[in-house]
């Protein structure tokens, strides 16, 4: 069986990984071609991702299916492809916004409420700024760029997998048994209702701050998260702006991100700005993921801001569709009438 995957981001590489491992386990013979228009893996939307595997925190502002599908990511990123650190995540709020923390707790689960002493035991650098927190102990985080580089290297070592970088897949003949389109926002011409939601981020470096796990700070207008990375760096993100302007970080957004990071810890005010970036998150009208099947072609898309959280669940289902002719109504039975209504509303 010849399979082509278009896109070497989180969705494409996890789908490739699932196909290869499931085919090996079942003794199936397949040849996998991964086509990517960029010159390496993870150069698209995944490049600017936060990498938080936080299904229960995300339940605060999403449909329950996001938490349900996202819980599968914990298994994938900590066991099948053990690239994530399972140190939990923290949610905090300034004293004037304590009501936001209470509201957050009512919409989520799988957390422990910490007082100042409990917070100090986990993250001593935060205890002076916050009187308490919500601790989601089972959640995890990873470095998106390192994770995708690892997956690409692992797949490239397989004798039946080839990568074609710098290739426009639309120029290739349709000569495969199956095609999995994982292009994200680039698939907009082929997917009715797909839109881009702009996200901006920055990376700061500070030797004065020590954090072991992601921290979300609630704010009525400028919520923010900080994810610790290697070498004293921290990813700070991310804006959510309803426009499709891909590569421009505005001064307003940088000011908001810096101010929010400063509220988490004042030492961020003196941190070095290492990097800024932005891209478009591929999203449908309800911000929920889809697998759309058209004959022997699958579109995996609509992961919104949950690329690393939802890609393992979609990848597993896509592999079962290809290898076992399975069907998953929770991500495949889209309501086309709602899509049409959403498009008319935005027109």
């Amino acid at each position: 069986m010849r399979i082509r995957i278009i896109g070497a981001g989180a969705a494409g590489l996890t789908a490739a990984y699932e196909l290869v491992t499931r085919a090996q386990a079942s003794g199936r013979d397949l040849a996998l071609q991964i086509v990517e228009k960029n010159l390496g893996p993870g150069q698209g939307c995944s490049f600017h991702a936060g990498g938080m595997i936080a299904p229960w925190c995300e339940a605060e502002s999403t449909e329950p299916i996001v938490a349900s599908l996202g819980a599968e990511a914990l298994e994938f990123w900590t066991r099948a492809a053990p690239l994530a650190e399972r140190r939990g995540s923290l949610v905090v709020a300034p004293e004037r916004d304590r009501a936001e923390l209470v509201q957050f707790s009512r919409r989520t689960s799988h957390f422990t409420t910490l007082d100042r002493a409990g917070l100090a035991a986990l993250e001593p650098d935060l205890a002076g700024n916050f009187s308490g927190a919500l601790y989601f102990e089972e959640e995890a985080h990873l470095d998106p760029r390192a994770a995708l580089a690892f997956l690409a290297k692992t797949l490239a070592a397989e004798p039946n997998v080839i990568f074609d970088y710098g290739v426009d897949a639309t120029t290739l003949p349709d000569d495969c048994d199956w095609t999995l389109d994982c292009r994200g926002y680039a698939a907009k011409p082929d997917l009715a209702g797909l839109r881009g939601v702009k996200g901006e981020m920055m990376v700061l470096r500070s030797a004065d701050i020590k954090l072991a796990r992601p921290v979300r700070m609630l704010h009525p207008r400028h919520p923010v998260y900080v994810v610790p990375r290697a070498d004293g760096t921290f990813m700070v993100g991310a804006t959510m702006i309803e426009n499709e302007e891909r590569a421009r970080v505005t001064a307003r957004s940088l000011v908001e991100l810096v101010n929010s990071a400063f509220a988490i810890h004042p030492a961020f005010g003196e941190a070095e700005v290492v990097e800024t970036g932005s891209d478009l998150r591929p999203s449908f009208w309800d911000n929920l993921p889809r697998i759309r099947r058209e004959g022997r072609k699958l579109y995996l898309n609509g992961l919104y801001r949950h690329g690393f959280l939802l890609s393992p669940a979609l990848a597993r289902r896509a592999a079962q569709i290809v290898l076992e002719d399975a069907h998953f109504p929770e991500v495949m039975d889209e309501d086309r009438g709602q899509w049409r209504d959403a498009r008319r509303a935005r027109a």
Side-chain angles (χ1 to χ4, degrees):
M1 182 186 295
R2 297 181 60 198
I3 302 173
R4 176 179 296 152
I5 293 179
I6 307 174
L13 293 183
T14 54
Y17 186 89
E18 283 286 348
L19 282 165
V20 169
T21 54
R22 287 176 179 272
Q24 290 174 344
S26 60
R28 300 283 295 271
D29 185 24
L30 63 80
L32 188 61
Q33 177 192 27
I34 302 171
V35 181
E36 168 58 51
K37 67 178 181 180
N38 292 305
L39 300 179
Q43 300 296 306
C45 186
S46 304
F47 192 75
H48 301 294
M52 292 184 294
I53 315 301
W56 296 292
C57 280
E58 290 300 326
E60 186 269 343
S61 58
T62 63
E63 297 293 327
I65 191 174
V66 171
S68 175
L69 296 175
E72 298 180 28
L74 288 169
E75 172 73 16
F76 181 87
W77 291 118
T78 62
R79 294 186 181 180
L83 301 164
E85 298 181 82
R86 203 164 192 167
R87 298 182 180 178
S89 54
L90 285 167
V91 180
V92 299
E95 279 306 305
R96 65 179 181 279
D97 298 319
R98 286 283 293 178
E100 297 284 332
L101 199 63
V102 174
Q103 290 293 329
F104 195 98
S105 70
R106 290 172 178 167
R107 300 188 188 113
T108 54
S109 62
H110 296 70
F111 65 85
T112 301
T113 301
L114 302 178
D115 58 15
R116 190 184 298 275
L119 177 59
L122 281 179
E123 297 286 3
D125 281 9
L126 298 182
N129 303 320
F130 302 99
S131 61
L134 303 179
Y135 177 40
F136 295 78
E137 184 176 4
E138 300 174 58
E139 295 184 338
H141 69 283
L142 52 74
D143 182 330
R145 298 171 193 179
L148 294 189
F150 178 87
L151 279 185
K153 183 178 179 181
T154 301
L155 288 164
E158 296 292 335
N160 57 340
V161 178
I162 62 170
F163 281 85
D164 286 322
Y165 291 119
V167 175
D168 181 355
T170 61
T171 65
L172 301 177
D174 184 13
D175 56 357
C176 295
D177 297 303
W178 281 89
T179 299
L180 275 60
D181 189 318
C182 305
R183 288 178 292 163
Y185 180 72
K188 181 176 180 178
D190 298 326
L191 289 176
L194 192 69
R195 77 188 200 283
V197 179
K198 183 178 180 179
E200 299 153 293
M201 54 74 77
M202 63 181 180
V203 177
L204 302 177
R205 177 180 286 118
S206 174
D208 299 323
I209 305 170
K210 306 296 181 187
L211 295 176
R213 52 190 56 78
V215 179
R216 295 172 187 245
M217 191 188 73
L218 307 180
H219 187 280
R221 289 177 289 111
H222 308 305
V224 69
Y225 58 79
V226 173
V227 184
R229 297 273 171 79
D231 303 324
T233 59
F234 302 86
M235 186 274 195
V236 182
T239 60
M240 289 187 291
I241 302 173
E242 289 285 347
N243 71 41
E244 297 185 341
E245 180 188 54
R246 168 167 266 159
R248 190 173 74 97
V249 180
T250 68
R252 178 196 295 272
S253 294
L254 282 184
V255 168
E256 292 174 356
L257 290 172
V258 169
N259 284 342
S260 296
F262 180 80
I264 290 177
H265 197 293
F268 277 122
E270 299 299 325
E272 173 190 359
V273 179
V274 178
E275 176 186 338
T276 62
S278 71
D279 212 320
L280 297 178
R281 307 175 179 101
S283 312
F284 292 111
W285 67 274
D286 54 5
N287 297 329
L288 295 179
R290 301 281 197 284
I291 296 177
R292 176 188 285 186
R293 178 173 179 174
E294 295 182 358
R296 298 179 77 79
K297 184 171 187 176
L298 299 180
Y299 290 91
L300 283 65
N301 217 309
L303 276 71
Y304 185 44
R305 64 180 189 183
H306 306 121
F308 284 83
L309 181 65
L310 297 182
S311 57
L314 260 62
R316 181 174 69 80
R317 285 159 175 77
Q320 289 182 263
I321 294 167
V322 171
L323 299 176
E324 305 167 16
D325 197 27
H327 184 82
F328 297 94
E330 70 274 21
V331 292
M332 296 179 72
D333 287 349
E334 64 198 46
D335 185 331
R336 293 175 182 272
Q338 289 177 314
W339 282 23
R340 286 195 296 271
D341 291 344
R343 292 203 302 277
R344 289 182 184 130
R346 289 197 302 276

